[in-house]
Coordinates of all heavy atoms in Angstrom, one line a residue:
I180 N -4.8 9.0 10.8 CA -5.9 8.2 10.2 C -7.2 9.1 10.2 O -7.9 9.1 9.2 CB -6.1 6.9 11.0 CG1 -4.9 6.0 10.7 CG2 -7.4 6.2 10.5 CD1 -4.9 4.7 11.5
A181 N -7.4 9.8 11.3 CA -8.5 10.7 11.4 C -8.4 11.7 10.2 O -9.5 12.0 9.6 CB -8.6 11.4 12.7
A182 N -7.2 12.3 10.0 CA -7.1 13.2 8.9 C -7.3 12.6 7.5 O -8.0 13.2 6.6 CB -5.7 13.9 8.9
A183 N -6.9 11.3 7.4 CA -7.1 10.6 6.1 C -8.5 10.3 5.8 O -8.9 10.3 4.6 CB -6.3 9.3 6.1
I184 N -9.3 10.1 6.9 CA -10.8 9.8 6.6 C -11.6 11.1 6.8 O -12.9 11.0 6.7 CB -11.3 8.7 7.5 CG1 -11.2 9.1 9.0 CG2 -10.6 7.4 7.2 CD1 -12.0 8.2 9.9
A185 N -11.0 12.2 7.0 CA -11.8 13.5 7.3 C -12.8 13.8 6.3 O -13.8 14.4 6.6 CB -10.8 14.6 7.5
C186 N -12.5 13.6 5.0 CA -13.4 14.0 3.9 C -14.2 12.8 3.3 O -14.4 12.8 2.1 CB -12.7 14.8 2.9 SG -12.1 16.3 3.5
D187 N -14.5 11.8 4.1 CA -15.2 10.6 3.7 C -14.6 10.0 2.4 O -15.3 10.0 1.4 CB -16.7 11.0 3.4 CG -17.3 11.7 4.6 OD1 -17.0 11.3 5.8 OD2 -18.0 12.7 4.4
P188 N -13.4 9.6 2.5 CA -12.7 9.1 1.3 C -13.3 7.7 0.8 O -14.0 7.1 1.6 CB -11.3 8.9 1.7 CG -11.4 8.6 3.2 CD -12.5 9.4 3.7
K189 N -13.0 7.4 -0.4 CA -13.4 6.1 -0.9 C -12.2 5.1 -0.9 O -12.3 3.9 -0.9 CB -13.8 6.2 -2.4 CG -15.1 7.0 -2.6 CD -15.5 7.1 -4.0 CE -16.8 7.9 -4.1 NZ -17.2 8.2 -5.5
L190 N -11.0 5.8 -0.8 CA -9.8 5.0 -0.8 C -8.8 5.6 0.2 O -8.6 6.8 0.2 CB -9.1 5.0 -2.2 CG -7.7 4.4 -2.3 CD1 -7.8 2.8 -2.2 CD2 -7.1 4.7 -3.7
V191 N -8.2 4.7 1.0 CA -7.1 5.1 1.9 C -5.8 4.4 1.5 O -5.9 3.2 1.3 CB -7.4 4.9 3.4 CG1 -6.1 5.1 4.2 CG2 -8.5 5.9 3.8
I192 N -4.8 5.1 1.2 CA -3.5 4.5 0.9 C -2.6 4.6 2.2 O -2.4 5.7 2.7 CB -2.7 5.3 -0.2 CG1 -3.6 5.2 -1.5 CG2 -1.4 4.7 -0.5 CD1 -3.0 6.1 -2.7
A193 N -2.2 3.4 2.7 CA -1.5 3.4 3.9 C -0.2 2.7 3.7 O -0.1 1.5 3.4 CB -2.3 2.7 5.0
D194 N 0.9 3.4 3.8 CA 2.3 2.8 3.5 C 2.9 2.5 4.8 O 3.3 3.3 5.6 CB 3.1 3.9 2.7 CG 4.4 3.3 2.3 OD1 4.8 2.1 2.6 OD2 5.2 4.0 1.6
E195 N 3.0 1.2 5.1 CA 3.6 0.7 6.4 C 3.1 1.5 7.6 O 3.9 2.1 8.3 CB 5.1 0.8 6.3 CG 5.6 0.2 5.0 CD 6.4 -1.1 5.2 OE1 6.3 -1.7 6.3 OE2 7.1 -1.5 4.3
P196 N 1.8 1.6 7.8 CA 1.3 2.6 8.8 C 1.7 2.2 10.3 O 1.5 3.0 11.1 CB -0.2 2.6 8.6 CG -0.5 1.2 8.1 CD 0.7 0.8 7.2
T197 N 2.2 1.0 10.5 CA 2.4 0.6 11.9 C 3.9 0.2 12.2 O 4.2 -0.1 13.3 CB 1.5 -0.6 12.2 OG1 1.9 -1.7 11.4 CG2 0.1 -0.3 12.1
T198 N 4.8 0.3 11.2 CA 6.1 -0.3 11.4 C 6.9 0.6 12.5 O 7.8 0.1 13.1 CB 6.9 -0.4 10.2 OG1 6.6 0.7 9.3 CG2 6.7 -1.7 9.4
A199 N 6.5 1.8 12.6 CA 7.2 2.7 13.6 C 6.7 2.5 15.0 O 7.2 3.1 16.0 CB 7.2 4.1 13.2
L200 N 5.7 1.6 15.2 CA 5.0 1.5 16.5 C 5.3 0.1 17.1 O 5.7 -0.8 16.5 CB 3.5 1.6 16.3 CG 3.0 2.8 15.6 CD1 1.5 2.7 15.2 CD2 3.3 4.1 16.4
D201 N 5.1 0.0 18.5 CA 5.4 -1.3 19.1 C 4.3 -2.2 18.8 O 3.2 -1.8 18.4 CB 5.8 -1.1 20.6 CG 4.7 -0.8 21.5 OD1 3.6 -1.4 21.3 OD2 4.8 0.0 22.3
V202 N 4.5 -3.5 19.1 CA 3.7 -4.6 18.6 C 2.2 -4.5 19.0 O 1.3 -4.6 18.2 CB 4.3 -6.0 18.9 CG1 3.4 -7.1 18.5 CG2 5.6 -6.1 18.3
T203 N 2.0 -4.2 20.3 CA 0.6 -4.1 20.7 C -0.2 -2.9 20.0 O -1.3 -3.1 19.6 CB 0.4 -3.9 22.2 OG1 1.6 -3.2 22.7 CG2 0.1 -5.1 23.0
I204 N 0.5 -1.8 19.9 CA -0.1 -0.7 19.3 C -0.3 -0.9 17.8 O -1.3 -0.6 17.2 CB 0.8 0.6 19.4 CG1 1.3 0.8 20.9 CG2 0.1 1.8 18.9 CD1 0.2 1.3 21.8
Q205 N 0.6 -1.7 17.2 CA 0.4 -2.0 15.7 C -0.9 -2.8 15.6 O -1.6 -2.5 14.6 CB 1.5 -3.0 15.3 CG 2.9 -2.4 15.0 CD 3.9 -3.4 14.5 OE1 3.5 -4.5 14.0 NE2 5.1 -3.0 14.5
A206 N -1.1 -3.7 16.4 CA -2.4 -4.5 16.3 C -3.6 -3.6 16.5 O -4.6 -3.8 15.8 CB -2.4 -5.7 17.3
E207 N -3.5 -2.7 17.4 CA -4.7 -1.8 17.6 C -4.9 -0.9 16.4 O -6.1 -0.7 16.0 CB -4.4 -0.9 18.8 CG -4.5 -1.6 20.2 CD -4.1 -0.7 21.3 OE1 -4.1 0.6 21.2 OE2 -3.7 -1.2 22.4
I208 N -3.8 -0.4 15.8 CA -4.0 0.5 14.7 C -4.6 -0.3 13.5 O -5.5 0.2 12.8 CB -2.7 1.2 14.3 CG1 -2.2 2.1 15.4 CG2 -2.8 1.9 13.0 CD1 -3.0 3.4 15.6
L209 N -4.1 -1.5 13.3 CA -4.6 -2.3 12.2 C -6.1 -2.7 12.4 O -6.9 -2.7 11.5 CB -3.8 -3.6 12.0 CG -2.4 -3.3 11.3 CD1 -1.4 -4.4 11.5 CD2 -2.6 -3.0 9.8
G210 N -6.4 -3.0 13.7 CA -7.8 -3.3 14.0 C -8.7 -2.1 13.7 O -9.8 -2.2 13.2
L211 N -8.1 -0.9 14.0 CA -8.9 0.4 13.8 C -9.1 0.5 12.3 O -10.2 0.8 11.8 CB -8.1 1.6 14.3 CG -8.6 3.0 13.9 CD1 -10.0 3.2 14.4 CD2 -7.7 4.1 14.3
L212 N -8.0 0.3 11.5 CA -8.2 0.5 10.0 C -9.2 -0.5 9.5 O -10.0 -0.2 8.6 CB -6.8 0.2 9.3 CG -5.9 1.4 9.1 CD1 -4.6 0.9 8.5 CD2 -6.6 2.4 8.2
R213 N -9.2 -1.7 10.0 CA -10.1 -2.8 9.5 C -11.6 -2.4 9.9 O -12.5 -2.5 9.1 CB -9.8 -4.1 10.2 CG -10.5 -5.3 9.5 CD -10.0 -6.6 9.9 NE -9.5 -6.6 11.2 CZ -8.6 -7.5 11.7 NH1 -8.1 -8.4 10.9 NH2 -8.3 -7.5 13.0
D214 N -11.8 -1.9 11.1 CA -13.1 -1.4 11.5 C -13.6 -0.3 10.6 O -14.7 -0.3 10.1 CB -13.2 -0.9 12.9 CG -12.9 -2.1 13.9 OD1 -13.0 -3.2 13.5 OD2 -12.7 -1.8 15.1
L215 N -12.7 0.7 10.3 CA -13.1 1.8 9.5 C -13.4 1.3 8.1 O -14.4 1.8 7.5 CB -12.0 2.8 9.4 CG -11.7 3.6 10.7 CD1 -10.4 4.4 10.6 CD2 -12.9 4.5 11.1
Q216 N -12.6 0.4 7.6 CA -12.8 -0.1 6.3 C -14.2 -0.7 6.1 O -14.9 -0.4 5.2 CB -11.8 -1.2 5.9 CG -11.7 -1.5 4.5 CD -11.5 -3.0 4.2 OE1 -11.1 -3.7 5.1 NE2 -11.7 -3.4 3.0
R217 N -14.6 -1.5 7.1 CA -15.9 -2.1 7.1 C -17.0 -1.1 7.3 O -18.0 -1.0 6.5 CB -15.9 -3.2 8.2 CG -17.1 -4.1 8.2 CD -17.2 -4.9 9.5 NE -17.1 -4.0 10.6 CZ -16.4 -4.3 11.7 NH1 -15.7 -5.4 11.8 NH2 -16.3 -3.4 12.7
D218 N -16.9 -0.2 8.3 CA -17.9 0.7 8.6 C -18.2 1.7 7.6 O -19.3 2.2 7.4 CB -17.7 1.4 10.0 CG -17.6 0.3 11.1 OD1 -18.0 -0.8 10.9 OD2 -17.2 0.7 12.2
L219 N -17.1 2.2 7.0 CA -17.2 3.3 6.0 C -17.1 2.8 4.6 O -17.1 3.6 3.6 CB -16.0 4.3 6.2 CG -15.8 4.8 7.6 CD1 -14.6 5.8 7.7 CD2 -17.1 5.6 8.1
D220 N -17.1 1.5 4.4 CA -17.0 0.9 3.0 C -15.9 1.4 2.2 O -16.0 1.8 1.1 CB -18.4 1.1 2.3 CG -18.5 0.1 1.1 OD1 -17.9 -0.9 1.2 OD2 -19.2 0.5 0.2
L221 N -14.7 1.5 2.9 CA -13.5 2.1 2.3 C -12.8 1.0 1.6 O -12.7 -0.1 2.0 CB -12.6 2.5 3.5 CG -12.6 3.8 4.1 CD1 -11.5 3.8 5.2 CD2 -12.3 4.8 3.1
A222 N -12.1 1.4 0.5 CA -11.1 0.6 -0.1 C -9.8 1.0 0.5 O -9.6 2.2 0.9 CB -11.0 0.8 -1.6
V223 N -8.9 0.0 0.8 CA -7.6 0.3 1.4 C -6.5 -0.3 0.6 O -6.6 -1.5 0.2 CB -7.5 -0.3 2.8 CG1 -6.2 -0.1 3.4 CG2 -8.6 0.4 3.7
L224 N -5.5 0.5 0.3 CA -4.3 0.0 -0.4 C -3.2 0.0 0.7 O -2.8 1.1 1.2 CB -3.9 0.9 -1.5 CG -2.5 0.5 -2.2 CD1 -2.5 -0.9 -2.7 CD2 -2.2 1.5 -3.3
L225 N -2.8 -1.2 1.2 CA -1.9 -1.3 2.4 C -0.6 -1.8 1.9 O -0.5 -2.9 1.4 CB -2.6 -2.3 3.4 CG -1.8 -2.5 4.7 CD1 -1.8 -1.2 5.5 CD2 -2.3 -3.7 5.4
V226 N 0.4 -1.0 2.1 CA 1.8 -1.4 1.8 C 2.4 -2.0 3.1 O 2.3 -1.4 4.2 CB 2.7 -0.2 1.4 CG1 4.1 -0.6 1.2 CG2 2.2 0.5 0.1
T227 N 2.9 -3.2 3.0 CA 3.4 -3.9 4.2 C 4.4 -4.9 3.9 O 4.5 -5.4 2.8 CB 2.2 -4.5 5.0 OG1 2.7 -5.1 6.2 CG2 1.4 -5.5 4.2
H228 N 5.3 -5.2 4.9 CA 6.2 -6.3 4.8 C 5.6 -7.5 5.5 O 6.2 -8.6 5.4 CB 7.5 -6.0 5.7 CG 8.4 -5.1 5.0 ND1 8.5 -3.8 5.3 CD2 9.4 -5.3 4.1 CE1 9.5 -3.2 4.6 NE2 10.0 -4.1 3.9
D229 N 4.5 -7.4 6.2 CA 4.1 -8.4 7.2 C 3.0 -9.3 6.6 O 1.9 -8.9 6.4 CB 3.6 -7.6 8.4 CG 3.3 -8.6 9.6 OD1 3.0 -9.7 9.3 OD2 3.4 -8.1 10.7
L230 N 3.4 -10.6 6.3 CA 2.4 -11.5 5.7 C 1.3 -11.8 6.7 O 0.2 -12.2 6.3 CB 3.1 -12.7 5.2 CG 3.7 -12.5 3.8 CD1 4.7 -13.6 3.5 CD2 2.6 -12.5 2.7
G231 N 1.6 -11.8 8.0 CA 0.5 -12.0 9.0 C -0.5 -11.0 8.9 O -1.7 -11.3 8.9
V232 N -0.1 -9.7 8.7 CA -1.1 -8.6 8.5 C -1.9 -8.8 7.2 O -3.1 -8.6 7.2 CB -0.3 -7.3 8.5 CG1 -1.2 -6.1 8.0 CG2 0.3 -7.0 9.8
V233 N -1.2 -9.2 6.2 CA -1.9 -9.5 4.9 C -3.0 -10.5 5.1 O -4.1 -10.3 4.6 CB -0.8 -10.0 3.8 CG1 -1.5 -10.4 2.6 CG2 0.2 -8.9 3.6
A234 N -2.6 -11.6 5.8 CA -3.6 -12.7 5.9 C -4.8 -12.3 6.7 O -5.9 -12.6 6.4 CB -2.9 -13.9 6.6
D235 N -4.6 -11.4 7.7 CA -5.7 -11.0 8.6 C -6.5 -9.9 8.0 O -7.7 -9.8 8.3 CB -5.1 -10.4 10.0 CG -4.6 -11.5 10.8 OD1 -4.9 -12.7 10.5 OD2 -3.8 -11.2 11.8
F236 N -5.9 -9.0 7.2 CA -6.5 -7.8 6.9 C -7.0 -7.7 5.5 O -8.0 -7.0 5.2 CB -5.5 -6.7 7.1 CG -6.0 -5.3 7.0 CD1 -6.5 -4.6 8.0 CD2 -5.9 -4.6 5.7 CE1 -7.0 -3.3 7.9 CE2 -6.4 -3.3 5.6 CZ -6.9 -2.7 6.7
C237 N -6.4 -8.4 4.5 CA -6.6 -8.0 3.1 C -7.4 -9.0 2.3 O -7.4 -10.2 2.7 CB -5.2 -7.8 2.4 SG -4.4 -6.4 3.2
D238 N -8.0 -8.6 1.3 CA -8.8 -9.4 0.4 C -7.9 -9.9 -0.8 O -7.9 -11.1 -1.2 CB -9.9 -8.7 -0.3 CG -10.9 -8.1 0.7 OD1 -11.4 -8.9 1.6 OD2 -11.2 -6.9 0.7
D239 N -7.1 -9.0 -1.3 CA -6.3 -9.3 -2.5 C -4.8 -8.8 -2.2 O -4.6 -8.0 -1.3 CB -6.8 -8.4 -3.7 CG -8.3 -8.7 -3.9 OD1 -8.7 -9.9 -4.1 OD2 -9.1 -7.7 -3.9

Side-chain angles (χ1 to χ4, degrees):
I180 293 172
I184 62 166
C186 295
D187 309 319
K189 294 178 178 172
L190 173 69
V191 168
I192 298 173
D194 187 354
E195 312 249 18
T197 61
T198 37
L200 305 171
D201 73 43
V202 177
T203 27
I204 311 287
Q205 284 185 15
E207 286 175 22
I208 295 287
L209 285 164
L211 168 65
L212 269 176
R213 192 167 35 201
D214 291 348
L215 291 171
Q216 192 217 349
R217 189 191 50 223
D218 297 349
L219 308 177
D220 199 24
L221 270 180
V223 175
L224 173 59
L225 181 70
V226 175
T227 179
H228 281 101
D229 187 335
L230 278 164
V232 169
V233 173
D235 287 346
F236 187 87
C237 295
D238 301 308
D239 305 304

